[in-house]
Amino acid sequence: MKKTRTFLLFAVLLTLVFPFNRASSAAPSPYDLIEMVNGLRRNNGLPEMEIHNALMTSSQVQSDYLSSTYGTNFPGWEEGHTGAGGNKAIDRAIAAGYPVGPGWNVVENWAVGGDSTPLGDIVYGQWDDAAHMGNMLHPDVVHVGAGVTAGDGYVYYIMNFGVEYGSGGSGSGGVASTVPTTAVTPKVAPVTVATPEEDGSILHTVEKGQALWSIALAYETTVDQLRALNNLTANAVIYEGQTLMVRAPYTPTPSPTATETPRPPTRTPIPAQTAQPVATAVQEDAEGGFLGLDRQTMGLVLILISGVGLVLIVLGTMTRDKKQKTKAEE
């Protein structure tokens, strides 16, 4: 028991004297960044860039400067290209000893990501536009350098490209008379848009010199959408002859099943009914007479009855007057 307590006390003392640091993933090296971009160039039929020590130095100087100056308060696009004293990429390269002559230029890519951001998200994500891809895929790039500086939860990336215009990447002449100040769009193979299939899907066959970003531009979509449709990772490369799905097939909307409703039976038409007169005091028979007599005969009977009644009334009156006269005479 005493030995156990002594061991625990010793362990606590070690923890206080030598505190354990939080484990963190190591940032990619500048050479990892260069290898990924050279892989992109190989995939597009372009020669690899040669690492130049002066460009490695100037790139590292700039990544260190951005990290110490901005930290997590990330700079704007133009600020990321501006170094100490307002110098530019070509200024830093010359200061590091890069031999810039007529027809040469130094162009630059910069980015910042989290300490766990995959390197492919930088090359194929943040640099997935015409300007940055134009630098990485420029056919006249001869030399390259890179700088990586990790800070508190972030990493700054810098790439400097030495371009000899007209050299085709060989660095062997054909130079222009002046140094261009802006990057030239690379000679990426044009993309012919495929015809949609019957199900609405669009499939594109990759041709030599085509890049994922140029295919996305041609079909008016994004690189992220192409990756999602084709299960491509952030650092995946495409190759000649590969079939890419640009648009998924349409999902047909199920139509409701029509249920046949039986028709109701045809109604038998009812003939028009003749309005019957309403009987009053005497119910007439089907022919409209009384006791089988027609109207004319019945009228004669009524006249006869009326005459008999009148006669009876007269006779009754005469008999009464005669009786009164006789009584008067007596």
Side-chain angles (χ1 to χ4, degrees):
M1 186 67 177
K2 186 176 180 181
K3 291 182 178 180
T4 303
R5 291 178 179 176
T6 303
F7 175 78
L8 292 176
L9 180 60
F10 182 71
V12 171
L13 290 175
L14 285 177
T15 303
L16 294 176
V17 177
F18 304 103
F20 293 101
N21 293 325
R22 178 178 58 89
S24 60
S25 57
S29 72
Y31 298 97
D32 294 330
L33 180 57
I34 293 172
E35 175 55 32
M36 180 167 288
V37 176
N38 268 332
L40 174 65
R41 290 178 63 84
R42 289 193 300 269
N43 183 61
N44 286 274
L46 296 171
E48 292 187 5
M49 302 171 293
E50 180 182 348
I51 296 175
H52 198 286
N53 290 333
L55 293 182
M56 293 291 289
T57 300
S58 64
S59 297
Q60 192 62 50
V61 166
Q62 181 65 1
S63 65
D64 290 343
Y65 171 79
L66 294 179
S67 177
S68 61
T69 303
Y70 297 98
T72 56
N73 187 24
F74 306 138
W77 183 85
E78 189 62 35
E79 291 174 327
H81 291 294
T82 304
N87 60 42
K88 301 299 181 182
I90 192 169
D91 302 326
R92 294 187 291 272
I94 294 173
Y98 188 67
V100 176
W104 284 79
N105 193 19
V106 176
V107 294
E108 183 179 67
N109 282 5
W110 80 270
V112 60
D115 55 7
S116 60
T117 301
L119 188 57
D121 287 0
I122 302 298
V123 176
Y124 296 96
Q126 294 194 37
W127 291 346
D128 181 28
D129 58 78
H132 292 95
M133 281 289 175
N135 291 338
M136 294 187 292
L137 295 177
H138 200 293
D140 294 333
V141 170
V142 179
H143 301 131
V144 67
V148 177
T149 303
D152 186 13
Y154 62 87
V155 181
Y156 279 92
Y157 300 90
I158 295 290
M159 287 197 82
N160 282 340
F161 305 92
V163 184
E164 183 185 13
Y165 295 101
S167 68
S170 64
S172 58
V175 298
S177 57
T178 59
V179 180
T181 57
T182 58
V184 179
T185 302
K187 298 177 182 178
V188 179
V191 176
T192 302
V193 177
T195 303
E197 304 291 331
E198 292 183 359
D199 59 0
S201 63
I202 297 179
L203 301 176
H204 177 80
T205 301
V206 180
E207 298 180 4
K208 184 177 180 180
Q210 292 180 350
L212 203 59
W213 64 271
S214 63
I215 295 173
L217 287 176
Y219 286 97
E220 297 183 352
T221 184
T222 64
V223 172
D224 288 339
Q225 289 176 334
L226 291 179
R227 288 178 184 152
L229 285 173
N230 296 276
N231 297 320
L232 298 176
T233 60
N235 57 354
V237 294
I238 59 175
Y239 53 87
E240 183 180 358
Q242 181 179 2
T243 300
L244 296 177
M245 178 174 290
V246 179
R247 186 173 69 192
Y250 294 135
T251 302
T253 303
S255 301
T257 304
T259 304
E260 185 175 354
T261 304
R263 297 180 61 188
T266 305
R267 299 179 60 187
T268 303
I270 301 175
Q273 300 293 316
T274 303
Q276 300 294 327
V278 179
T280 55
V282 181
Q283 178 66 38
E284 296 183 348
D285 61 9
E287 296 181 354
F290 177 71
L291 300 178
L293 302 176
D294 57 19
R295 292 187 177 185
Q296 185 177 1
T297 304
M298 188 173 62
L300 293 175
V301 171
L302 291 175
I303 293 174
L304 180 60
I305 293 173
S306 300
V308 172
L310 182 60
V311 171
L312 291 175
I313 293 173
V314 172
L315 289 177
T317 302
M318 292 176 64
T319 301
R320 185 184 58 188
D321 292 341
K322 185 176 180 182
K323 287 181 179 182
Q324 292 177 352
K325 187 177 179 181
T326 302
K327 289 182 177 180
E329 292 177 352
E330 293 178 351

